[in-house]
Amino acid sequence: MTERFPAPEQGLIVTHFLTVRDVKVSREFYADIFGGHVVLAENPATVRVANTWIIMNPGGGPTPDKPDVTLTAPEPGDPVSAFLNVRVADIVEFHAQARAKGAEFLTEPQDRGAEVRCYLRDPDGYLIEIGQTTGLLTR
């Protein structure tokens, strides 16, 4: 994996694209909360986080390669059909550090048997699960 824009020399790379309202705010959130490295500031904003990239751009209407598709950031109260799943080695440490940086979690980390997890939302309302695998490793 490189620090440059994700462009594989062979095979593929999976990235995560987010439609955002304010590119600067979202870019800073992912760089700060997750210790990401800003690869491109915009067009599209790209932040490398651990072994993946978060790509962010404002929404927009259909284009020739995606007719009948409009990209918009979620609105408060929208149903959730997908979310970012982030695995951490130490959820207590991550939770404390992220809260100190201004992250707002829905709950404190909760032990679910197979894992300890909690959720937060990014500036656009995207749901992010933070989890530490525990019980799954002892099966």
Side-chain angles (χ1 to χ4, degrees):
M1 299 273 173
T2 69
E3 292 298 326
R4 64 183 195 278
F5 190 80
E9 294 176 14
Q10 57 181 322
L12 59 92
I13 294 173
V14 176
T15 66
H16 193 74
F17 180 92
L18 298 174
T19 303
V20 300
R21 289 179 188 81
D22 186 322
V23 171
K24 181 179 185 277
V25 168
S26 294
R27 180 185 67 231
E28 290 176 359
F29 173 85
Y30 284 96
D32 189 35
I33 299 298
F34 294 101
H37 171 75
V38 177
V39 176
L40 287 175
E42 53 186 63
N43 298 321
T46 306
V47 178
R48 180 169 178 216
V49 177
N51 59 350
T52 193
W53 288 265
I54 309 274
I55 298 174
M56 297 156 274
N57 251 347
T63 58
D65 57 338
K66 56 176 179 42
D68 302 322
V69 175
T70 299
L71 296 176
T72 61
E75 293 296 330
D78 280 353
V80 175
S81 60
F83 57 87
L84 189 61
N85 184 303
V86 177
R87 312 310 293 172
V88 296
D90 184 337
I91 195 166
V92 172
E93 178 183 352
F94 179 88
H95 183 264
Q97 290 177 358
R99 284 190 66 191
K101 294 175 184 176
E104 296 181 15
F105 288 83
L106 278 63
T107 65
E108 298 292 314
Q110 297 183 7
D111 190 338
R112 306 280 298 169
E115 67 181 351
V116 178
R117 71 179 187 219
C118 56
Y119 293 85
L120 70 146
R121 291 193 183 271
D122 82 352
D124 287 287
Y126 287 105
L127 189 64
I128 304 168
E129 176 184 301
I130 307 298
Q132 178 182 343
T133 305
T134 54
L136 280 174
L137 299 177
T138 60
R139 289 184 183 183

